[in-house]
Amino acid sequence: MFRTHTCGELRLSDVGKEIILSGWVQRTRDKGSLLWIDLRDRYGITQLMLEEGVSQQHLLEKARQLGREYVIRVKGRVTERSSKNPNIPTGEIEIMLDEIELLNASKLPPFTIEDKTDGGDELRMKYRYLDLRRNPLKQNLALRHKLALETRNYLDSKGFYEIETPYLIKSTPEGARDFVVPSRMNPGEFYALPQSPQTFKQILMVAGYDRYFQIVRCFRDEDLRADRQPEFTQIDCEMAFVTQEDVINTFEGMAHFLFEKVKGVDVGRFERMDYATAMKLYGSDKPDIRFGMQFVEMKDLVKNKGFGLFDEAEIIVGINAAGCSEYTRKQLDALTEFVKKPQIGAKGLVYVKYNADGTFKSSVDKYFNEAELKVWANRFDARPGDLMLLLSGNTENTRKQLSELRLEIGNQLGLRDPQMFKPLWVTDFPLLEWDETSQRFYAMHHPFTSPKPEDFHLLESDPGKVRANAYDMVINGVEVGGGSIRIHDRDLQKKMFSLLGFTDEEAQNQFGFLMNAFEFGAPPHGGIALGFDRLTALIAGYDSIRDFIAFPKNNSGRDVMIDSPSIIAQQQLDELFLKVNMPQK
Ligand code: ASP
């Protein structure tokens, strides 16, 4: 028998029991007359002990040979510790050893297996199995497991079926590039890995399975921005005979259920905001509403006063940083540097200090007098002691830049508590997005999203103005998921493809199967997908998803543990009729 208990289990009430434990040696402390071993497994750490003169000599000698991460099986008796450790659940007991069996030795690990490790990112990824032995990672994967389980429980209770859809499919453009897999049996032809099961879940609706879900891997070959993974997991769902309200209510309910079950937190009612409002008030389609600091537009007050930057601008917009009038020159310079970073790209930052004594000090004192700045302050709802920060330029970029600044100030003022959750639905997204470079429209969500019936008439005349029946779930400024009511009519779907620049033939080639299905009694339907990795990280209060995935890829899309991607043998290439043209270095 390998064990009677786990290393996290024994308590004072077990004193006197003969037990067997198996696990890894976290560390040994040898005081000469006394020797302790911390034995670790998934469940915790138990202290083992040997005493010169009491324990058998050969056991002491054996224990002295044990290195870190050796795997052992021990037998002994539970005793009360004389000096207790209140920091661990097993801290009141220790095991007086009678037997030590070495199950396997270990090389010296390249980093410490502690809550705070000295291992850098690459090293931890290369030896992920060692990294995964650490508590923080264990807790993350436990949370992930629990979340998956409760997701299934909730959706099952609402009548959803979990149905698997294939991984070897045909390209489904959802904005990213596909990963492709060559087909040996069909030379020259390729499968694509799904960016999401979108078309399959819609076809399941046509098939009559009116509530589907799947916790499913999706693959997107994107240039890796920070914290994106080329393969990631979604809670993917679809429902038939539903309105947008039905979908929203079902998944707001799921979010409530999950936060309650795994975190014991009531996230409260979700706010609702349409896309246009989100952009106007927060400059973002995923606003962090844990704090206010809404945008204030200033154009009518500041134009034509001789200040060039404002006079040329399409929009002049600002935020009020409450209580920040005492910011030093250095702090203001740092904020200016922040907005001028190439990733943000603002030309400059205008500030107005509303001093505690009611006077003003601004970077535009030359152009605006106290009386005018007082009017600004009223517009901003600013009080003495506040700091107003303004950006100007073209509407889209300026709003984005101010959104970044708002988040930065929010961070600086400690307004973004990761343990506080403020959920929100953003609705009424534009159906289409104009791309300057390629001079064409793209679907903002995906090509299967239906336009709002009240905007149908704009489809021909002003497609950019058409709003979609699309919605995003946003929590704390994180886009947790998104979905839409779909097109279920063949002609409308065809029209949509043509708006997106597909010829009839291309549309038929790529999506004929879906449009054909729509001719056989497609019910009205809609759905949503939530990012499962991201949701898990968010619930835990983390920004990065990396440590909520057991085996993630690094920033260049590599798995450094198994060293992938890698070259394949010539024979494999031949079987697939592939020839590799290496790029010229
Ligand atoms: N397939 C969509 C996505 O992956 C979600 C949806 O529309 O249901 O973002």
Side-chain angles (χ1 to χ4, degrees):
M1 193 202 275
F2 281 110
R3 52 185 173 183
T4 54
H5 296 80
T6 69
C7 295
E9 205 178 338
L10 295 165
R11 301 284 183 276
L12 218 43
S13 54
D14 297 303
V15 165
K17 282 187 190 159
E18 296 290 336
I19 56 91
I20 305 176
L21 297 178
S22 288
W24 288 261
V25 173
Q26 173 88 14
R27 59 181 187 143
T28 51
R29 273 159 301 148
D30 190 355
K31 287 270 149 72
S33 60
L34 288 169
L35 187 149
W36 291 278
I37 301 169
D38 283 348
L39 191 68
R40 184 194 68 235
D41 66 10
R42 203 187 103 189
Y43 307 89
I45 287 186
T46 298
Q47 178 166 296
L48 316 176
M49 74 102 68
L50 292 163
E51 192 174 351
E52 197 85 50
V54 179
S55 311
Q56 292 167 25
Q57 193 55 34
H58 79 271
L59 278 185
L60 275 149
E61 273 152 33
K62 207 163 183 179
R64 291 198 167 107
Q65 305 300 316
L66 298 175
R68 280 203 275 149
E69 301 309 311
Y70 276 43
V71 187
I72 58 173
R73 171 184 168 281
V74 298
K75 211 167 171 174
R77 193 165 28 83
V78 185
T79 56
E80 182 168 358
R81 272 203 219 184
S82 50
S83 77
K84 302 198 168 42
N85 177 358
N87 299 322
I88 56 171
T90 60
E92 293 188 309
I93 57 103
E94 60 192 351
I95 311 297
M96 198 61 179
L97 291 187
D98 300 323
E99 242 180 77
I100 301 176
E101 183 189 346
L102 179 64
L103 299 176
N104 214 338
S106 168
K107 280 186 164 173
L108 191 66
F111 50 84
T112 52
I113 307 205
E114 304 280 350
D115 291 5
K116 285 220 175 329
T117 175
D118 56 359
D121 256 7
E122 280 292 290
L123 207 55
R124 287 177 45 214
M125 290 302 152
K126 183 161 159 60
Y127 297 93
R128 189 63 163 174
Y129 40 89
L130 298 178
D131 200 23
L132 288 169
R133 287 183 191 167
R134 299 190 308 114
N135 278 325
L137 275 286
K138 273 192 281 191
Q139 283 157 10
N140 293 353
L141 293 189
L143 175 70
R144 187 182 172 109
H145 162 75
K146 177 96 169 124
L147 207 53
L149 186 68
E150 296 300 352
T151 298
R152 292 194 163 94
N153 286 340
Y154 176 83
L155 291 172
D156 175 63
S157 80
K158 299 285 173 201
F160 284 76
Y161 277 174
E162 184 166 15
I163 302 174
E164 287 155 291
T165 52
Y167 281 157
L168 296 175
I169 65 164
K170 178 181 172 112
S171 154
T172 310
E174 290 202 43
R177 228 172 267 120
D178 287 315
F179 281 103
V180 295
V181 179
S183 165
R184 180 183 55 80
M185 288 193 288
N186 304 276
E189 296 187 324
F190 294 80
Y191 301 101
L193 300 178
Q195 294 183 31
S196 89
Q198 186 61 35
T199 49
F200 283 93
K201 67 175 173 176
Q202 292 192 242
I203 285 174
L204 282 170
M205 295 304 112
V206 179
Y209 293 83
D210 61 359
R211 289 180 165 214
Y212 140 95
F213 86 99
Q214 188 177 190
I215 300 184
V216 64
R217 200 67 56 79
C218 302
F219 306 85
R220 296 185 189 173
D221 186 5
E222 289 171 303
D223 293 332
L224 295 179
R225 276 187 263 149
D227 209 36
R228 286 259 179 132
Q229 288 284 320
E231 51 176 309
F232 60 95
T233 305
Q234 284 189 344
I235 306 171
D236 189 51
C237 309
E238 196 75 6
M239 307 165 82
F241 305 116
V242 285
T243 61
Q244 172 165 316
E245 242 356 79
D246 297 323
V247 181
I248 283 186
N249 287 332
T250 305
F251 290 93
E252 184 166 329
M254 183 169 92
H256 265 145
F257 180 85
L258 293 177
F259 273 88
E260 180 65 53
K261 281 280 178 189
V262 308
K263 187 95 182 167
V265 164
D266 176 4
V267 288
R269 267 194 71 78
F270 281 43
E271 273 189 41
R272 299 272 185 104
M273 197 181 297
D274 62 34
Y275 172 88
T277 309
M279 295 311 287
K280 196 173 158 68
L281 295 184
Y282 299 96
S284 165
D285 59 1
K286 41 176 195 294
D288 183 348
I289 55 165
R290 279 173 296 182
F291 63 108
M293 218 185 276
Q294 292 179 348
F295 289 12
V296 178
E297 293 193 8
M298 298 292 289
K299 188 161 167 175
D300 55 317
L301 287 182
V302 304
K303 272 272 189 190
N304 304 323
K305 306 279 176 169
F307 183 46
L309 216 55
F310 282 178
D311 288 346
E312 292 157 19
E314 189 185 358
I315 191 171
I316 300 107
V317 58
I319 50 176
N320 181 40
C324 295
S325 72
E326 308 261 298
Y327 265 32
T328 60
R329 177 83 255 161
K330 210 168 142 202
Q331 281 171 301
L332 290 168
D333 285 348
L335 288 180
T336 308
E337 284 314 306
F338 175 85
V339 296
K340 282 173 139 181
K341 281 196 299 198
Q343 307 92 295
I344 298 188
K347 289 212 196 72
L349 177 67
V350 168
Y351 71 82
V352 182
K353 287 179 169 183
Y354 191 177
N355 298 317
D357 63 6
T359 61
F360 291 91
K361 173 84 195 87
S362 84
S363 56
V364 287
D365 281 349
K366 253 201 263 167
Y367 307 95
F368 300 93
N369 60 34
E370 289 253 333
E372 283 166 318
L373 295 178
K374 181 85 203 359
V375 178
W376 291 24
N378 282 340
R379 166 86 47 102
F380 273 94
D381 214 3
R383 272 158 249 269
D386 291 354
L387 172 70
M388 292 168 267
L389 299 165
L390 292 86
L391 293 176
S392 57
N394 85 39
T395 305
E396 203 185 312
N397 292 341
T398 307
R399 281 180 172 164
K400 271 196 199 134
Q401 293 155 1
L402 191 62
S403 164
E404 296 290 342
L405 180 65
R406 174 180 174 271
L407 294 176
E408 172 63 18
I409 303 271
N411 284 337
Q412 290 187 9
L413 298 181
L415 301 173
R416 306 182 72 198
D417 175 0
Q419 296 305 333
M420 165 173 169
F421 299 96
K422 283 278 183 192
L424 160 80
W425 289 105
V426 179
T427 60
D428 300 357
F429 278 82
L431 184 69
L432 302 165
E433 212 172 10
W434 180 253
D435 181 61
E436 273 303 322
T437 341
S438 55
Q439 290 287 304
R440 51 159 281 205
F441 281 113
Y442 282 88
M444 189 138 179
H445 187 50
H446 51 53
F448 318 107
T449 295
S450 71
K452 282 197 170 299
E454 58 269 38
D455 289 354
F456 272 1
H457 66 283
L458 296 168
L459 273 174
E460 298 285 352
S461 54
D462 198 354
K465 283 248 152 59
V466 178
R467 289 164 306 158
N469 278 321
Y471 33 81
D472 273 1
M473 181 191 283
V474 175
I475 305 179
N476 294 1
V478 173
E479 183 196 325
V480 171
S484 59
I485 296 299
R486 325 297 184 188
I487 297 169
H488 64 279
D489 172 79
R490 183 191 170 102
D491 293 336
L492 184 56
Q493 187 64 71
K494 226 173 127 186
K495 171 157 205 146
M496 186 67 186
F497 285 131
S498 97
L499 273 177
L500 296 173
F502 287 75
T503 64
D504 277 359
E505 208 190 335
E506 284 166 343
Q508 192 55 40
N509 253 330
Q510 287 193 47
F511 297 108
F513 64 95
L514 186 67
M515 291 193 290
N516 291 344
F518 284 175
E519 290 187 294
F520 290 91
H525 61 285
I528 192 167
L530 308 184
F532 184 62
D533 313 292
R534 195 152 292 295
L535 182 65
T536 316
L538 177 83
I539 290 185
Y542 282 80
D543 292 333
S544 167
I545 62 174
R546 185 86 68 84
D547 281 343
F548 293 84
I549 298 173
F551 301 105
K553 310 264 187 291
N554 76 4
N555 280 343
S556 357
R558 300 198 67 86
D559 183 324
V560 293
M561 182 181 77
I562 61 172
D563 193 21
S564 160
S566 59
I567 296 170
I568 58 173
Q570 187 60 46
Q571 190 198 338
Q572 281 176 296
L573 289 172
D574 293 345
E575 274 172 1
L576 297 165
F577 305 95
L578 290 180
K579 196 168 151 44
V580 176
N581 281 316
M582 289 300 281
Q584 300 290 330
K585 284 253 159 93

Coordinates of all heavy atoms in Angstrom, one line a residue, residues 174 195-198 201 218 220 234 236-238 445-446 449 482-484 486 527-529, ligand 1:
E174 N -13.1 34.0 -38.6 CA -13.7 34.8 -37.5 C -12.7 35.9 -37.2 O -12.6 36.3 -36.1 CB -14.0 33.9 -36.3 CG -15.1 33.0 -36.6 CD -15.8 32.5 -35.3 OE1 -16.0 33.3 -34.4 OE2 -16.1 31.3 -35.2
Q195 N -11.5 28.0 -35.3 CA -11.3 29.2 -34.5 C -12.4 29.2 -33.5 O -12.2 29.8 -32.4 CB -11.4 30.4 -35.4 CG -10.2 30.5 -36.4 CD -10.2 31.7 -37.2 OE1 -10.7 32.8 -36.8 NE2 -9.7 31.6 -38.4
S196 N -13.5 28.6 -33.8 CA -14.6 28.3 -32.8 C -15.5 27.3 -33.5 O -15.5 27.2 -34.7 CB -15.3 29.6 -32.4 OG -16.4 29.9 -33.3
P197 N -16.4 26.7 -32.7 CA -17.3 25.8 -33.4 C -18.5 26.5 -34.0 O -19.6 25.9 -34.2 CB -17.8 24.8 -32.3 CG -17.0 25.2 -31.1 CD -16.5 26.6 -31.3
Q198 N -18.4 27.7 -34.3 CA -19.5 28.6 -34.7 C -20.5 27.9 -35.7 O -21.7 27.8 -35.4 CB -19.0 29.9 -35.3 CG -20.1 30.9 -35.6 CD -20.9 31.3 -34.4 OE1 -20.3 31.4 -33.3 NE2 -22.2 31.5 -34.5
K201 N -22.3 24.8 -34.3 CA -23.3 24.9 -33.3 C -24.6 25.5 -34.0 O -25.7 25.1 -33.6 CB -22.8 25.7 -32.1 CG -22.5 27.2 -32.4 CD -22.2 27.9 -31.0 CE -21.7 29.3 -31.2 NZ -21.5 29.9 -29.9
C218 N -10.2 26.1 -28.9 CA -10.3 26.9 -30.2 C -8.9 27.3 -30.6 O -8.0 27.4 -29.7 CB -11.1 28.2 -30.0 SG -12.8 27.8 -29.5
R220 N -6.4 29.8 -33.0 CA -6.3 31.0 -33.8 C -4.9 31.4 -34.0 O -4.1 31.6 -33.1 CB -7.1 32.2 -33.2 CG -8.6 31.9 -33.1 CD -9.4 33.1 -32.6 NE -10.8 32.5 -32.3 CZ -11.8 33.2 -31.8 NH1 -11.6 34.4 -31.4 NH2 -12.9 32.6 -31.6
Q234 N -13.0 27.8 -24.7 CA -14.2 28.5 -24.6 C -15.3 27.7 -24.0 O -15.4 26.5 -24.2 CB -14.7 29.0 -26.0 CG -14.0 30.1 -26.6 CD -14.7 30.6 -27.9 OE1 -15.5 29.9 -28.4 NE2 -14.3 31.8 -28.3
D236 N -18.7 27.3 -25.0 CA -19.3 27.7 -26.2 C -20.8 27.3 -26.2 O -21.1 26.1 -25.8 CB -18.6 27.0 -27.4 CG -19.1 27.5 -28.7 OD1 -19.2 28.8 -28.9 OD2 -19.5 26.7 -29.6
C237 N -21.7 28.2 -26.5 CA -23.1 27.8 -26.3 C -24.0 28.4 -27.4 O -23.7 29.3 -28.1 CB -23.7 28.5 -25.0 SG -22.6 28.2 -23.6
E238 N -25.1 27.7 -27.7 CA -26.1 28.1 -28.7 C -27.5 27.7 -28.2 O -27.6 26.7 -27.6 CB -25.7 27.5 -30.0 CG -26.3 28.2 -31.2 CD -25.7 29.6 -31.6 OE1 -24.7 30.0 -31.0 OE2 -26.3 30.3 -32.4
H445 N -18.3 41.2 -35.3 CA -18.3 40.0 -34.5 C -17.9 38.8 -35.4 O -16.9 38.3 -35.4 CB -19.7 39.8 -33.9 CG -19.7 38.7 -32.9 ND1 -18.8 38.5 -31.9 CD2 -20.6 37.6 -32.7 CE1 -19.1 37.4 -31.2 NE2 -20.2 36.9 -31.7
H446 N -18.9 38.4 -36.2 CA -18.5 37.4 -37.3 C -19.6 37.5 -38.3 O -20.7 38.1 -38.1 CB -18.3 36.0 -36.8 CG -19.3 35.4 -35.9 ND1 -20.6 35.4 -36.2 CD2 -19.2 34.9 -34.6 CE1 -21.3 34.9 -35.2 NE2 -20.5 34.6 -34.2
T449 N -23.7 37.0 -37.7 CA -24.4 37.9 -36.8 C -25.5 38.7 -37.5 O -25.2 39.2 -38.6 CB -23.4 38.9 -36.1 OG1 -22.5 38.1 -35.3 CG2 -24.1 39.9 -35.2
G482 N -18.6 36.9 -25.8 CA -19.4 37.7 -26.7 C -20.3 36.7 -27.5 O -19.9 35.5 -27.7
G483 N -21.3 37.3 -28.0 CA -22.2 36.4 -28.9 C -23.2 37.3 -29.6 O -23.1 38.5 -29.6
S484 N -24.1 36.6 -30.3 CA -25.1 37.4 -31.1 C -26.3 36.5 -31.4 O -26.2 35.3 -31.3 CB -24.4 37.8 -32.4 OG -23.9 36.7 -33.1
R486 N -28.2 35.2 -34.5 CA -27.6 34.9 -35.8 C -28.6 35.2 -36.9 O -29.8 35.2 -36.7 CB -27.2 33.4 -35.9 CG -26.7 32.8 -34.6 CD -25.4 33.4 -34.2 NE -24.9 32.7 -33.0 CZ -23.9 33.1 -32.2 NH1 -23.3 34.2 -32.5 NH2 -23.5 32.4 -31.2
G527 N -26.4 32.8 -29.6 CA -25.6 32.1 -28.6 C -24.5 33.1 -28.1 O -24.5 34.3 -28.3
I528 N -23.5 32.4 -27.5 CA -22.5 33.2 -26.9 C -21.3 32.2 -26.7 O -21.5 31.0 -26.6 CB -22.9 33.8 -25.6 CG1 -21.9 34.8 -25.0 CG2 -23.2 32.7 -24.5 CD1 -22.5 35.7 -23.9
A529 N -20.1 32.8 -26.5 CA -19.0 32.0 -26.1 C -18.2 32.8 -25.0 O -18.0 34.0 -25.2 CB -18.1 31.6 -27.2
Ligands
ASP1 N1 -18.0 32.1 -32.0 C1 -18.0 33.3 -31.3 C2 -16.6 33.6 -30.8 O1 -15.8 32.6 -30.7 C3 -18.9 33.4 -30.2 C4 -20.3 33.4 -30.6 O2 -20.7 34.2 -31.4 O3 -21.1 32.6 -30.0 O4 -16.2 34.7 -30.4

